Amino acid sequence: MEILDGKKLSEQIKEEIKQAVILRKENQKKIPHLAAVIVGNDGASLTYVGSKVRSCEQVGFKSTLIHLESKITEEALISKIRALNNDDTLDGYIVQLPLPQHIDEEKILLAVDPKKDVDGFHPSNFGRMALEMDSFIPATPFGIMEMLRRYKIDVSGKHCVVIGRSHIVGRPISILMSQKNNPGNATVTLAHSRTKDIEKLTQKADIIISALGIPEFLKADMVKDGVIVIDVGITRVLDESHPKGYIIKGDVAYDEVSKKSSYITPVPGGVGPMTIAMLLQNTLLSCERKF
Ligand code: GUN
């Protein structure tokens, strides 16, 4: 069994990005600038956005955090987004999800200029990705693909079961794993909450990518020997014995599943840090105006 060390890999990628920024500085080129919009005070979202901003500093990017109150109107948020679209100093920005209930997420994502959409959530980028054209690829799926690429894991022709059909992870990773590319060329099954007898699918899978959000859902009796497991779950589980009052759990019962797997991502330290590294990568690409 080999652990897919997302923490180590993300540090390596961030170091590469940092070097690219140093080179840009030396050549008097623009320094990448990322903005993050957060609405309200959801604890997990604040933590994620804080890590994104800190990572910008680590690689030498300029960053701007825009913290808006939870009762902001949809119209006011859209006008903020228009201002970000028109801000020439910005290479990219993200609107942290989820948004408060009174705001229509779809309207907000449609308002983002696709050229600054470093999350890859706009239909223009999502459609381009599905058509295998150059685009911003959502950071979590991009991180999983980069991890497979750098660990030289051959997924071609293998049966990949993706669990979860979210627009942010499950759906895009199912498209990327089946794309005619390397990594890619996998045969993909997309399982979700209405899937019957899911264990019959997972027991046959060569690769399982779980983005469900149910702690320790995937048990050892649901997988075959030699399986490759990518755990995207990051659920806060209350734990009074821990100083923070909670611990982070993945979708996979790691101790038992790791014994049967050939490769596995830990939680924390697997997919999570890769997501941030790839957001920075997308921002650098935007600054370089690759597409
Ligand atoms: N919420 C959970 N994951 C993400 C992400 O990758 N980007 C944004 N904007 N919001 C999220």
Side-chain angles (χ1 to χ4, degrees), residues 24 33 40 58 60 68 102 128 140 184 200 254 262-263 268 270 278:
R24 289 184 71 82
H33 182 187
Q58 205 185 334
L68 303 168
H102 67 279
R128 291 178 65 93
T140 303
K200 292 213 170 81
Y254 184 87
S262 55
Y263 294 95
M278 300 326 281

Side-chain angles (χ1 to χ4, degrees), residues 15-72:
E15 185 54 38
E16 291 165 13
I17 296 171
K18 188 174 166 183
Q19 292 308 321
V21 174
I22 290 172
L23 206 61
R24 289 184 71 82
K25 262 190 198 155
E26 282 172 6
N27 294 320
Q28 276 93 44
K29 288 186 177 159
K30 185 182 182 302
I31 301 306
H33 182 187
L34 174 74
V37 178
I38 180 158
V39 183
N41 292 301
D42 175 67
S45 292
L46 284 168
T47 305
Y48 299 149
V49 171
S51 306
K52 289 172 187 179
V53 169
R54 266 196 312 283
S55 297
C56 280
E57 286 159 14
Q58 205 185 334
V59 299
F61 284 9
K62 193 170 160 16
S63 65
T64 303
L65 176 62
I66 301 159
H67 192 171
L68 303 168
E69 55 180 1
S70 61
K71 58 177 196 291
I72 188 171

Side-chain angles (χ1 to χ4, degrees), residues 195-242:
T195 299
K196 295 198 176 89
D197 301 327
I198 195 165
E199 67 284 355
K200 292 213 170 81
L201 296 170
T202 55
Q203 278 159 356
K204 285 199 187 131
D206 302 311
I207 306 161
I208 300 172
I209 302 177
S210 186
L212 193 63
I214 301 178
E216 301 189 333
F217 170 81
L218 194 77
K219 303 279 197 294
D221 62 359
M222 296 170 73
V223 308
K224 70 175 183 185
D225 280 325
V227 66
I228 297 164
V229 180
I230 311 285
D231 187 352
V232 190
I234 28 168
T235 308
R236 288 183 174 195
V237 177
L238 293 179
D239 185 340
E240 300 297 340
S241 69
H242 198 272

Side-chain angles (χ1 to χ4, degrees), residues 44-107:
S45 292
L46 284 168
T47 305
Y48 299 149
V49 171
S51 306
K52 289 172 187 179
V53 169
R54 266 196 312 283
S55 297
C56 280
E57 286 159 14
Q58 205 185 334
V59 299
F61 284 9
K62 193 170 160 16
S63 65
T64 303
L65 176 62
I66 301 159
H67 192 171
L68 303 168
E69 55 180 1
S70 61
K71 58 177 196 291
I72 188 171
T73 63
E74 196 174 273
E75 294 71 34
L77 182 56
I78 288 177
S79 70
K80 185 77 215 166
I81 285 173
R82 297 239 161 85
L84 295 175
N85 289 343
N86 293 327
D87 180 347
D88 290 337
T89 71
L90 271 185
D91 298 292
Y93 68 92
I94 64 153
V95 181
Q96 188 66 26
L97 303 179
L99 290 166
Q101 290 235 313
H102 67 279
I103 296 174
D104 183 347
E105 215 161 87
E106 200 174 290
K107 267 196 198 158

